[in-house]
Amino acid sequence: MNDYQINTKCVQAGYTPGNGEPRQIPIIQSTTFKYDTSEEMGKLFDLEASGYFYTRLQNPTNDYVAAKIAALEGGTAAMLTSSGQAANFYALFNICECGSHIVASSSIYGGTFNLISVTMAKMGISATFVSPDCSEEELNAAFRDNTRAVFGETIANPALTVLDIEKFARAAHSHGVPLIVDNTFPTPVNCRPIEWGADIVTHSTTKYMDGHGAAVGGCIVDGGKFDWMAHAHKYPGLCTPDESYHGVTYAEKFGKEGAFISKCTSQLMRDLGSIQSPQNAFILNLGLESLHVRMPRHVENGQAVAEFLANQPQVEYVSYPGLPSNPYYDLAQKYMGNGGCGVVSFCLKGGRIAAEKFLKNLKLAAIETHVADARTCCLNPATSTHRQMTEEQLLTAGVPAGLVRISCGLEDKNDLIADLKQALEAI
Ligand SMILES: *Cc1c(COP(=O)(O)O)cnc(C)c1O
């Protein structure tokens, strides 16, 4: 399957039925799995044989879908999680512990920012946030002896900044730590961070991968290139025997290709849960089967909407990395030659009141706290997610009162533009 184009992998990778077996991935709706002898089951617990015993750790439906995403990203192993939040937490916590430090881009999803800056801080894991636009000197200065991971988003939600993956990978590797990239917005159809030096890739599969607003989920993919043993003193969890798992040393037993995901499954899933339900994995796979067909349409609609908005008198500015005037245009061209995603943000003249009127008059675009769905949706942070803030606070947070985020769906772009046009005229 690895020799095929990504379009073919979207449709067929991960699951190859044998003679007389179901054509579609079966939903294995079972918490547990039956064995004839205790010896056979014992081998699974000792990680001596591979197989399933309890769905909190692993389920075949999930593994078929995870294998497809690994193939799409060009990784060696992958696992599904119950949400994108769980994916990012597990990816970081798999190699960080109390006393560790993370270097993260400051331009990331609000949920991930809270996870790192508040919740992981309570676990004794500290972080330094750097601007994605920082110089290599500033980036290198953020590292400490206890730094264990670097984190960023390919296209940040909602700021739409583009990560210079090679710059961040260079800094991470020169300090002997891996780069973790959340690739939710472009999806592997538009960018494959591992090809640019990222070591681990995460996803909120809730967004474009599902693409229909039907199933919350997440995924972690290992690129299989980071040499844990070469930095064994930093990663004792991977490079010394796990007493909670019969003394297995993951990096020795599973090598560079398998250690990260094996540890994450056998330790974190075992102890913390957060597995994706097989039903959701099935729904996710239906989305993946058309991801390569849908992403170009999301991009086409996003580009058309951004170009339209940029020429409207009611609009102060438009942020979309596909516009040549955008500061991230060159980076977007380099890492995402076929375009990034369908999310556009723009600022209306006339602040909160203009935004409220505009949203009220939209007919096709619904007001939702969601993005990356087949149906176009819009959000004005000032009157929803950030409504407790004053105009000044909004400005300092980089979300002026007139800011609107629009996630362009799969409708006809002319209908979308006509809808935006009449809503702008109604302000
Ligand atoms: C939505 C999102 C998340 C969180 O994912 P959930 O599936 O909602 O938990 C993480 N990262 C990015 C970039 C997102 O857009």
Side-chain angles (χ1 to χ4, degrees):
M1 199 39 79
N2 276 336
D3 296 336
Y4 288 104
Q5 301 294 318
I6 194 150
N7 296 347
T8 304
K9 291 182 189 170
C10 279
V11 185
Q12 295 222 17
Y15 172 68
T16 311
N19 194 35
E21 288 180 356
R23 186 66 191 95
Q24 181 54 284
I25 292 180
I27 304 172
I28 307 297
Q29 193 66 42
S30 181
T31 56
T32 190
F33 301 82
K34 174 241 165 197
Y35 288 92
D36 289 337
T37 66
S38 308
E39 286 91 331
E40 281 173 89
M41 185 176 256
K43 283 195 183 130
L44 301 179
F45 275 94
D46 288 346
L47 298 178
E48 287 303 328
S50 64
Y52 297 92
F53 50 94
Y54 193 53
T55 287
R56 176 167 21 89
L57 285 89
Q58 264 185 302
N59 175 284
T61 308
N62 292 19
D63 284 354
Y64 293 135
V65 181
K68 174 178 283 188
I69 299 175
L72 295 177
E73 288 287 6
T76 53
M79 66 197 279
L80 300 187
T81 57
S82 57
S83 67
Q85 286 299 109
N88 282 328
F89 174 58
Y90 278 29
L92 289 165
F93 197 59
N94 204 33
I95 47 174
C96 292
E97 58 190 25
C98 184
S100 302
H101 172 256
I102 296 164
V103 173
S105 163
S106 57
S107 190
I108 51 175
Y109 178 66
T112 313
F113 184 80
N114 282 336
L115 167 70
I116 296 174
S117 65
V118 179
T119 300
M120 292 185 77
K122 289 180 190 165
M123 304 168 126
I125 299 166
S126 59
T128 301
F129 292 94
V130 294
S131 161
D133 311 332
C134 67
S135 67
E136 299 219 11
E137 292 70 39
E138 288 167 317
L139 183 51
N140 285 319
F143 286 79
R144 302 188 196 154
D145 287 345
N146 57 340
T147 303
R148 296 292 176 265
V150 180
F151 183 90
E153 285 176 19
T154 321
I155 302 179
N157 175 13
L160 304 180
T161 55
V162 176
L163 190 76
D164 189 342
I165 303 172
E166 286 189 318
K167 177 176 83 180
F168 275 73
R170 232 178 357 255
H173 296 159
S174 73
H175 291 87
V177 304
L179 171 63
I180 303 174
V181 173
D182 181 332
N183 195 35
T184 297
F185 267 18
T187 82
V189 168
N190 284 337
C191 181
R192 288 176 296 283
I194 291 167
E195 291 175 3
W196 298 99
D199 300 285
I200 311 287
V201 168
T202 59
H203 282 279
S204 165
T205 62
T206 317
K207 312 293 167 51
Y208 288 115
M209 282 192 167
D210 163 32
H212 298 78
V216 172
C219 183
I220 308 171
V221 182
D222 182 8
K225 291 187 195 141
F226 194 82
D227 190 350
W228 307 106
M229 275 303 192
H231 308 282
H233 66 288
K234 292 185 180 172
Y235 303 105
L238 283 158
C239 303
T240 57
D242 178 1
E243 293 315 330
S244 80
Y245 231 111
H246 320 283
V248 62
T249 299
Y250 297 99
E252 269 172 7
K253 189 163 177 68
F254 299 99
K256 281 192 283 192
E257 295 76 19
F260 190 87
I261 295 294
S262 296
K263 172 178 181 286
C264 207
T265 299
S266 23
Q267 233 177 41
L268 300 189
M269 271 303 176
R270 180 197 61 189
D271 296 351
L272 301 170
S274 317
I275 191 102
Q276 190 167 128
S277 88
Q279 286 277 349
N280 276 14
F282 178 84
I283 293 168
L284 166 58
N285 184 59
L286 293 180
L288 292 172
E289 287 182 1
S290 64
L291 186 65
H292 59 299
V293 182
R294 293 184 288 108
M295 286 313 290
R297 177 61 76 88
H298 283 293
V299 168
E300 181 187 332
N301 287 357
Q303 185 76 29
V305 161
E307 285 170 11
F308 165 76
L309 289 169
N311 291 316
Q312 301 312 303
Q314 301 91 338
V315 175
E316 201 171 311
Y317 63 84
V318 180
S319 290
Y320 187 69
L323 292 178
S325 58
N326 186 276
Y328 298 97
Y329 181 77
D330 290 339
L331 280 179
Q333 290 296 306
K334 171 177 171 180
Y335 292 112
M336 293 162 267
N338 295 324
C341 65
V343 183
V344 179
S345 63
F346 61 100
C347 192
L348 287 167
K349 295 174 186 162
R352 207 184 288 249
I353 295 165
E356 215 157 10
K357 267 196 192 148
F358 170 77
L359 288 188
K360 196 191 275 172
N361 281 289
L362 287 171
K363 295 190 170 70
L364 272 178
I367 303 172
E368 289 171 26
T369 48
H370 183 52
V371 286
D373 185 331
R375 290 149 297 239
T376 295
C377 55
C378 262
L379 189 78
N380 169 229
T383 50
S384 57
T385 49
H386 294 58
R387 64 179 294 123
Q388 75 285 358
M389 290 190 180
T390 65
E391 310 273 318
E392 293 78 63
Q393 285 174 324
L394 285 168
L395 266 182
T396 4
V399 275
L403 193 80
V404 176
R405 179 183 71 187
I406 177 167
S407 168
C408 298
L410 298 175
E411 302 91 341
D412 190 296
K413 63 186 172 196
N414 295 309
D415 288 336
L416 289 181
I417 289 171
D419 190 29
L420 294 172
K421 190 168 189 292
Q422 61 82 25
L424 285 173
E425 281 161 5
I427 296 176

